[in-house]
Amino acid sequence: MSRMEIALKRQPGQHLRPDDFELRNSALDHALDKGQVRLRVHWLSIDPYQRGLLDQVPMFGRRVMVGDMMAGRGIGEVIESRSERFVPGDWVIGETGWATEAIVPDSALVPAAGASEFLSHHLGVLGVPGLTAFLGLHALGDVGEGDVLLVSSAAGAVGSTVVQLAKARGVKVIGLTSGAAKTSFLREQLKVDGVIDRLQGPPLPQALREAAPDGFSCFFDNVGEQMLVDGLGALRPRGRALLCGYIAGYEVGAPVVPAETLRLIMRQRLEVRGFLVHDHASRFGEARSALEDLLRSGQLQAVQTVVQGLERAPAALCDLLAGRASGKVVVRVLGSG
Ligand SMILES: NC(=O)c1ccc[n+]([C@@H]2O[C@H](COP(=O)([O-])OP(=O)(O)OC[C@H]3O[C@@H](n4cnc5c(N)ncnc54)[C@H](OP(=O)(O)O)[C@@H]3O)[C@@H](O)[C@H]2O)c1
């Protein structure tokens, strides 16, 4: 038995390129060990953290070496099992790698309940990005009426969920994004109160002052670097900021935190909190069922970009990092599900 997989062909430079990867055939013919399942992979998740797996000094401790299959999460159908938890026909989520088939220990898999129209959303609004939005808003101090919230990468997988959850609570939301399509999507579809195109118009500090003349009460930051500095500068005294990610630094890797920003935190008595969703795993069940109810009732839109074909996964990751995608980016591997 063989599978198609995407491997890292060479060490990426500062900006990742699709041809840093190659598509290849590999054998996957060994018998399953006890507890393992063989999966046919249907969906892959494209995520910012995957850029950090390719660095020579890896961002999260794990590293994909030249010649290795690219790591990543996916959704698959069990086609053979030596597990007591899963039987052929079950749908599961876990670390599959960028491949058409995978052999995975059952301990590393969770069920993808209901192989339905919602299947790929288990990687997006019902998966890590949705949980990050839901639990991140809670960690920000349960925003509500009277709050003025700034969200960076507001059209992204996490951001598009944050803005909808906050709007549903009566919060005034200003989103940061890039490009006319994402700007009008946020305004017209997600009913965001104000949108700033980070690549157009006045310098960001001025645009933020114009959008919220009395300042923001809270800031959900997905981008980091200069956007974090400018967003903190736009908070009211005692404002709150959640540091969720720093995608602007994943490729360039040059941190910009001027000492002046640290002084500002003190002078303005800002509350600045770092957030990692996996610290909140005990609340995943509760958060996922709340998100699923909102999705089923139509109160929450799943914003998703579907890329067709395993071979397009490298370009999908490059597009995500370059701001060319919107919502949750998923790759449909085999055209079913
Ligand atoms: N803390 C946690 O536990 C946790 C969990 C999941 C994700 N995260 C982090 O949360 C953030 C959002 O994740 P996501 O999956 O929803 O990704 P995402 O926001 O969809 O990421 C892609 C978007 O980031 C924005 N971006 C890229 N480079 C930028 C730059 N140099 N300056 C400004 N914006 C830039 C672009 O949006 P625009 O063009 O629209 O600005 C781009 O479309 C990421 O930083 C991710 O690593 C954290």
Side-chain angles (χ1 to χ4, degrees):
M1 226 179 282
S2 71
R3 67 174 178 185
M4 298 306 294
E5 63 181 24
I6 304 272
L8 184 65
K9 188 172 75 182
R10 62 170 177 236
Q11 187 58 44
Q14 195 177 66
H15 292 288
L16 188 67
R17 296 166 41 142
D19 59 1
D20 290 331
F21 297 91
E22 64 183 347
L23 181 68
R24 69 186 184 195
N25 202 285
S26 80
L28 196 68
D29 47 10
H30 55 278
L32 299 184
D33 291 334
K34 194 165 185 300
Q36 287 184 327
V37 298
R38 190 185 301 274
L39 302 178
R40 182 169 297 133
V41 181
H42 286 251
W43 294 97
L44 291 176
S45 179
I46 303 294
D47 294 286
Y49 81 88
Q50 288 173 297
R51 179 65 184 89
L53 302 174
L54 307 174
D55 284 343
Q56 274 161 319
V57 181
M59 216 183 283
F60 307 107
R62 270 168 74 200
R63 182 173 172 201
V64 173
M65 307 292 286
V66 172
D68 287 350
M69 178 182 67
M70 180 59 183
R73 288 166 60 75
I75 296 177
E77 183 183 4
V78 176
I79 53 172
E80 187 188 343
S81 176
R82 286 200 63 204
S83 156
E84 288 176 3
R85 290 179 57 213
F86 300 111
V87 296
D90 285 347
W91 290 86
V92 291
I93 310 165
E95 179 68 37
T96 58
W98 284 6
T100 53
E101 281 194 24
I103 292 178
V104 185
D106 63 2
S107 56
L109 295 169
V110 293
S116 64
E117 76 278 16
F118 284 160
L119 196 57
S120 65
H121 300 333
H122 286 286
L123 299 174
V125 70
L126 301 178
V128 172
L131 296 171
T132 302
F134 188 97
L135 296 167
L137 267 180
H138 181 79
L140 189 50
D142 269 336
V143 295
E145 248 171 78
D147 275 314
V148 183
L149 171 69
L150 176 65
V151 183
S152 57
S153 192
V158 174
S160 61
T161 309
V162 170
V163 301
Q164 294 182 76
L165 295 174
K167 284 293 304 167
R169 295 179 191 184
V171 174
K172 180 174 178 186
V173 178
I174 309 294
L176 284 156
T177 190
S178 68
K182 288 194 266 187
T183 299
S184 60
F185 176 79
L186 284 168
R187 274 214 180 95
E188 282 146 37
Q189 298 289 316
L190 301 191
K191 310 291 181 206
V192 169
D193 299 283
V195 185
I196 298 169
D197 185 333
R198 64 183 168 92
L199 302 178
Q200 297 282 327
L204 195 50
Q206 184 187 333
L208 292 171
R209 269 196 307 279
E210 288 170 6
D214 296 330
F216 294 89
S217 61
C218 34
F219 177 27
F220 194 118
D221 184 36
N222 292 304
V223 167
E225 313 303 83
Q226 191 58 43
M227 197 170 272
L228 170 61
V229 171
D230 292 341
L232 290 176
L235 284 172
R236 298 174 187 165
R238 300 187 193 283
R240 320 187 297 279
L242 191 84
L243 276 54
C244 177
Y246 52 99
I247 190 169
Y250 294 176
E251 291 225 282
V252 179
V256 188
V257 181
E260 179 52 26
T261 298
L262 301 175
R263 293 188 206 122
L264 178 100
I265 291 170
M266 186 276 276
R267 285 200 313 269
Q268 296 283 72
R269 286 89 78 212
L270 303 180
E271 269 180 50
V272 179
R273 171 168 299 187
F275 175 80
L276 276 179
V277 70
H278 293 289
D279 292 343
H280 304 264
S282 62
R283 295 193 59 198
F284 282 3
E286 163 208 340
R288 193 175 282 116
S289 60
L291 288 161
E292 195 157 352
D293 287 347
L294 290 167
L295 191 63
R296 285 192 188 281
S297 65
Q299 295 172 76
L300 180 64
Q301 292 181 50
V303 185
Q304 181 174 258
T305 298
V306 178
V307 174
Q308 301 287 346
L310 174 68
E311 68 284 0
R312 296 189 58 209
L317 180 56
C318 294
D319 286 349
L320 178 81
L321 295 166
R324 290 189 287 266
S326 61
K328 174 66 206 173
V329 180
V330 289
V331 172
R332 192 178 200 133
V333 177
L334 289 177
S336 95

